[in-house]
Amino acid sequence: INHEAFKIKRILSNISTIRSLWDESLVFSPIFINLSEMLAGHMDSIRTLFPGLEIRFSAPEPVMLYADPALIETLMLNLLSNCCLHAKDCTRISISLIKLKEKAILCVDDDGCGISADELHEVFDRYRHGFALRDMGQGAGLGLTAARLIANLHGGTLLMESRQDIGTAVRVSLSLSPYAEAPLKQPET
């Protein structure tokens, strides 16, 4: 039940995030957050949901980031749920966070089945699993789309490399510098 509730929550969150980004109605509320602490704080929840996986987390130094905490949480949970739900035979997930010049780099690596080269270009296509609820056993195909849009919104990008039968590596860069203009609506005070 916990796994199904987690999947449904992720699907609904992703639909809401993507729609809000498209119609520019997303309330963007950046604050300074300790990204290292935020990620570490979610590790126990992920381990509880997926007890059979070895999940390692490393952040050699605190990484402070000017970001919307709810959106960053969505990005992180999407990346982890992709490993847990889509990477068949995955036994290990490594998450690391480093500072590199003016960027925070979030690395998520798994030892799952990987993605074939001819399917890798489709991973950011929305609704690639179909949109009927009965076809969403593996999700709606929105998680990576939402994660990439969130990374872009935070002055970064999301890159993915995968090798079939070896695993997948995702790299998300996020700007450490507060940007002059928020591209979306600010919350009303």
Side-chain angles (χ1 to χ4, degrees):
I1 291 173
N2 285 337
H3 289 275
E4 293 306 312
F6 178 75
K7 284 195 285 188
I8 290 168
K9 182 179 177 186
R10 300 278 13 101
I11 290 169
L12 294 174
S13 173
N14 289 326
I15 289 170
S16 174
T17 299
I18 291 170
R19 179 162 186 211
S20 297
L21 283 164
W22 285 339
D23 68 14
E24 298 181 356
S25 66
L26 181 76
V27 175
F28 185 63
S29 304
I31 59 172
F32 280 100
I33 60 172
N34 183 328
L35 187 56
S36 310
E37 277 183 12
M38 176 187 234
L39 290 170
H42 285 292
M43 290 303 111
D44 286 338
S45 298
I46 296 298
R47 287 182 183 110
T48 300
L49 277 172
F50 302 97
L53 288 174
E54 176 187 351
I55 301 174
R56 298 180 195 161
F57 174 67
S58 137
E61 60 183 307
V63 176
M64 297 302 294
L65 182 70
Y66 188 68
D68 185 307
L71 291 175
I72 295 299
E73 180 178 90
T74 295
L75 180 149
M76 180 202 63
L77 291 174
N78 284 350
L79 296 180
L80 292 175
S81 68
N82 262 12
C83 295
C84 297
L85 300 173
H86 298 295
K88 292 181 178 117
D89 302 322
C90 180
T91 62
R92 177 196 47 80
I93 299 172
S94 296
I95 302 129
S96 59
L97 181 64
I98 58 170
K99 278 192 221 178
L100 185 63
K101 297 184 181 180
E102 291 297 312
K103 299 281 183 181
I105 309 296
L106 173 63
C107 307
V108 179
D109 299 286
D110 70 57
D111 68 349
C113 61
I115 305 166
S116 69
D118 35 322
E119 292 179 338
L120 190 58
H121 70 281
E122 298 174 356
V123 298
F124 295 103
D125 293 348
R126 293 183 311 269
Y127 311 122
R128 70 183 176 282
H129 300 298
F131 200 64
L133 285 177
R134 69 182 178 279
D135 298 330
M136 287 190 197
Q138 296 301 313
L142 296 172
L144 289 174
T145 300
R148 182 178 263 180
L149 289 170
I150 292 167
N152 294 157
L153 183 62
H154 288 86
T157 191
L158 186 152
L159 303 171
M160 178 181 275
E161 178 183 10
S162 189
R163 296 184 65 196
Q164 199 164 6
D165 301 323
I166 294 176
T168 301
V170 177
R171 301 294 179 262
V172 178
S173 70
L174 303 164
S175 177
L176 291 173
S177 304
Y179 13 96
E181 287 182 39
L184 301 173
K185 294 182 179 183
Q186 294 292 330
E188 295 178 17
T189 55

